[in-house]
Amino acid sequence: MTTAAPAAPPARAVSAPPGGTAALARPLALAVLAALLTLAAGLLPDPAGVAVAVTLNFSAVGVVLVLLARSGRTSAHPAGWRWYTLSIAVGGLGALLAASVLPWGQTALGSVPGQLLVVVALARMIDRAPLRAARAQMASLFTLFVVADVLTVHTVYRLTIGTRGVLTLAETVALFALLLSIALGTGLALVLIAVAGVRQRAVGWLVFAAQVATAVAGALSSIAAGPGLVQYGACAASVLGVGLLVVACRHDRPERAATPADGDPGGSTLGALLPHVTALVGGALLLISVPVTGGLTFFGTTLGLLGLGALLAHQTASWHVQQRLTRDLQRSEAYFRTLVRGSADPVLILDQELRVAWVSPAITDLLGLAPHDVVGRLLADAVHPDDATGLVGALSAGHDEEVKTRSARVRHADGRWRLIQARVRDLRSDPDVGGLVLYCRDVSAAAPQPAGPDVTAFHTTDPATGLPNRSALTQRLAATLRGPAVHHRALVVLGVDGLADGDDAVVLRELTTRFSRALRGDDWLARAGVSEFAVVVDGTIADAEVVASRLVAAVEPVATGPGTAFRLTAAAGVAALDEDVDAGETLRRGDLALRSARAAGPGRVRRHSDALRITQDREEALRADLADALHHDHLYLAYQPVVDLALRRTVSVEALLRWAHPVYGDVSPAEFIPLAEESPLITEIGRWVLLHATATVMALPHPDLGVAVNISARHVRSGELVDDVLTALEASGLPAARLVLEITESVLLDDEHVVADLELLRRLGVRIAVDDFGTGWSSLAYLVGLPIDVLKMDRQFLADVEQQPQRRALCASVLHLGNSLGLSVVVEGVETQGELQLLRDMGHRFVQGFLLARPLEAAVLARGLPGIGEDGVPTTAAARPAGADGAADGGVPGVPA
């Protein structure tokens, strides 16, 4: 028979484990069943009963070792549970060795080393923070629990078998050695129950129960005279103990351990009562034993005195901790009073009726009123009548401890209305506060107010967020630029992508709250547009970049209801304030920096600079010159070949747009194509490319050469694509099967008419290719049932393909996917001989890239087409005569099947 090493949980509170009650009930039910079967084996005749009981006992222990090893890996404290697993193994092995060496009644000594390892496991699992905070209190508590446990065991022993001489002295010593080692773990389990939160406390009770079951198993094993019902009962208790240990391990999960102490007031009550209850139980049993046994033993008396001493030490340590906490609270309150009284921004506390219960002295600087003139006033009487209804309604709504931002007009003592912005925290449910806490500041615009004290025009506040709007921002910037501290101010313009005009006010209020938390004391927040916010930062341009980074990080999915959320991203531009420029130019600089940040990608922050201004000027010039470029023949086409590795020759070319600017020279398509896509001009350019590309390829001396043309999303959605393609094919005479239209993945997710147009073109013989496959929406759903013939695998798939097996597997999987769906796969961006050889070995057939050929002019294509030589080395266009192209086989992109 083995005695189990029970486990103890961490001292942190937890939430419900995965799988719920059923997940805990299953292993517990198995443990109870195994225990009952072991006990029932005692009814079988020898030697069958002995064989069954021993088999069930050690089988259960083996199963526990497996379950602990598996559950421990996903627990909150895997290292600690590994020690518990070791403790069971050591305890079981020790019991086996003791049974073969020691007399029957002394075999309990073999389990003692395993029980001592439980202490090591607890040391690896217990949260040290509360222990370090109150070492003396925790030490006295542990000592009290251990003494009480040993006293209880001693008294029960005296009341049952101690006076009957059932055990010899050696057997009694062995029994108490085991029970004392178990008492150490039991005491730690009680400590965890006392200090843990309400949800984690269940683990402590499970471990405590496992310790008790283990103690019962050891006691029964010690008094058993050999195989029989008592010995089988010991086996059953051992099985139940290790089963409870598995349940405790499965209950200890990271998501539960990460939960704070639950804030449950019952936790502190139990922690205070449990030491006294434990001492009471031990002492009561000791007193009850006097009339039954006729007196007290020296050992029992000593344990009783030690228990009283431990209880006194615990009370003394607890009193010292309470005194320290009281001093800390008093010091904290003194700090609070000092900070609040010295703060430039007033703090108000409103009671349940929205009446001012307390206000800091700074209210005098804000409104010109003494604190006693404000305390007792209703909020509705203090704010402008037009703002009172909405403000009172918002503050009277449900209890929510999240910080909200509210704005309203409040009359100053001089009769003028001031725009006051308040960060509101609802602490009405907090018994220590019981009200709303408002942190107020003056955000009134710097411009002179209209005449008359009752002016209701309020055009400087954004109604959705309560923040100053762009008009107020302009006025604030103008006032700051005229001030002496202009060189210590900067502007942050934050763009939030995913917002639209008319978005849910919950989203805007949540963003406003997050931004307010990210700002410092003197930073000034405004809403500059539908999807833009601005902050006038009190500090240098470097400080503004730090603030901008915090604002960008604060933008994340905003929950609008159960299971719903706005997916938002942000970028920010930063500009220094300069007294030589006006507010309008400052805002333009901030907007320019924001555009640069957005172009760099979500989450970026960019500072305004002369380089940005030059880039902006160039961009504006290119945008203005683009229309003239189309009508003055400044645009031209280059053609990049697509090579068939099986036939070792070019089978189609991709038409690429180029711009020869009269001033800037050759302009990269990456620079001017986005400018064209911002306007309907992109459709006209796409029409021009279709006409020229089809005519050029038709005029080449290669009768089977296909041509691929990139079609913009705006052109596809315009509804004019079918007519433009038919016009180009008719004008050039190019067969429809030799034309490939390359579109982006996102176009396939548009309206139904887009898919209908593509299906019509496909029925006419035109091939449809998905460009940059795998880098856009990356959804495989559109590949089935949609008009697609070709997948163009983006260059990103080839990054480090020669060194990374995962990249090679990815390239092979795309080819397999295309082949399975009957689609051709073209690999773009092949630049090295190694990449080409790897693609050939994988079975890729169609490749495109600088290794094979750079984009060529039509005159070069007329002289010959690039290909692959017999040695696998690419050949140039000049090396292949114009008539070297043979008939193509089916399935080649751009070539008729």
Side-chain angles (χ1 to χ4, degrees), residues 166-223:
V166 176
L167 301 179
T168 65
L169 178 61
E171 292 171 345
T172 302
V173 171
L175 173 62
F176 272 87
L178 174 63
L179 294 179
L180 179 59
S181 64
I182 295 175
L184 295 175
T186 306
L188 284 176
L190 290 174
V191 170
L192 294 173
I193 294 172
V195 302
V198 62
R199 286 176 287 184
Q200 177 70 4
R201 204 176 302 145
V203 180
W205 285 117
L206 288 170
V207 173
F208 177 76
Q211 291 290 107
V212 173
T214 304
V216 172
L220 292 177
S221 179
S222 297
I223 65 175

Side-chain angles (χ1 to χ4, degrees), residues 376-698:
R377 294 182 61 184
L378 286 171
L379 180 67
D381 297 337
V383 302
H384 194 283
D386 291 347
D387 303 334
T389 303
L391 181 62
V392 171
L395 296 181
S396 301
H399 297 254
D400 185 0
E401 292 190 11
E402 289 292 327
V403 178
K404 306 295 184 183
T405 301
R406 296 289 182 265
S407 298
R409 287 166 290 178
V410 181
R411 191 191 296 274
H412 193 272
D414 60 10
R416 294 187 302 165
W417 291 101
R418 297 291 181 90
L419 174 59
I420 306 301
Q421 182 185 89
R423 297 177 63 198
V424 184
R425 185 167 188 183
D426 190 347
L427 296 179
R428 285 175 287 191
S429 59
D430 189 334
D432 296 329
V433 180
L436 292 165
V437 182
L438 279 65
Y439 306 89
C440 305
R441 63 190 306 183
D442 186 0
V443 294
S444 303
Q449 298 194 3
D454 296 321
V455 176
T456 59
F458 200 58
H459 60 279
T460 58
T461 301
D462 174 60
T465 61
L467 295 174
N469 58 17
R470 193 173 184 91
S471 176
L473 172 62
T474 303
Q475 297 176 25
R476 178 82 174 205
L477 285 174
T480 303
L481 290 169
R482 293 193 300 266
V486 60
H487 296 295
H488 299 286
R489 300 287 189 273
L491 175 67
V492 174
V493 181
L494 178 73
V496 181
D497 295 324
L499 283 177
D501 195 5
D503 268 341
D504 194 332
V506 174
V507 179
L508 292 172
R509 288 197 297 269
E510 174 64 20
L511 286 176
T512 303
T513 299
R514 294 180 183 180
F515 295 157
S516 299
R517 291 174 181 171
L519 299 181
R520 305 166 308 165
D522 293 327
D523 297 334
W524 191 85
L525 176 65
R527 190 181 184 197
V530 172
S531 60
E532 293 183 5
F533 294 79
V535 179
V536 179
V537 176
D538 180 24
T540 64
I541 188 73
D543 296 329
E545 288 178 322
V546 174
V547 171
S549 298
R550 294 172 62 182
L551 292 172
V552 167
V555 177
E556 55 188 18
V558 178
T560 56
T564 61
F566 272 75
R567 298 291 176 180
L568 305 177
T569 59
V574 179
L577 270 60
D578 190 342
E579 60 187 359
D580 295 332
V581 300
D582 58 14
E585 175 61 19
T586 302
L587 285 173
R588 194 184 77 85
R589 291 181 176 183
D591 291 337
L592 178 58
L594 173 60
R595 291 183 61 184
S596 174
R598 276 176 161 160
R604 300 301 181 91
V605 176
R606 288 291 185 268
R607 180 191 296 194
H608 177 268
S609 62
D610 290 338
L612 274 183
R613 180 182 56 79
I614 294 172
T615 301
Q616 175 69 10
D617 293 341
R618 173 186 170 95
E619 183 178 303
E620 292 177 354
L622 292 177
R623 184 181 288 106
D625 295 342
L626 192 56
D628 292 337
L630 181 62
H631 300 108
H632 291 84
D633 295 330
H634 294 159
L635 298 179
Y636 66 95
L637 295 177
Y639 301 88
Q640 186 169 28
V642 175
V643 175
D644 184 342
L645 296 181
L647 301 178
R648 301 198 305 275
R649 61 179 179 78
T650 297
V651 292
S652 66
V653 292
E654 180 181 0
L656 303 174
L657 187 61
R658 297 292 186 261
W659 183 6
H661 195 280
V663 176
Y664 298 116
D666 288 333
V667 181
S668 169
E671 187 176 6
F672 72 82
I673 291 296
L675 300 179
E677 289 179 340
E678 295 175 0
S679 69
L681 185 62
I682 188 63
T683 300
E684 188 175 353
I685 293 176
R687 190 177 299 119
W688 180 90
V689 172
L690 276 171
L691 289 169
H692 283 72
T694 54
T696 299
V697 172
M698 185 60 189

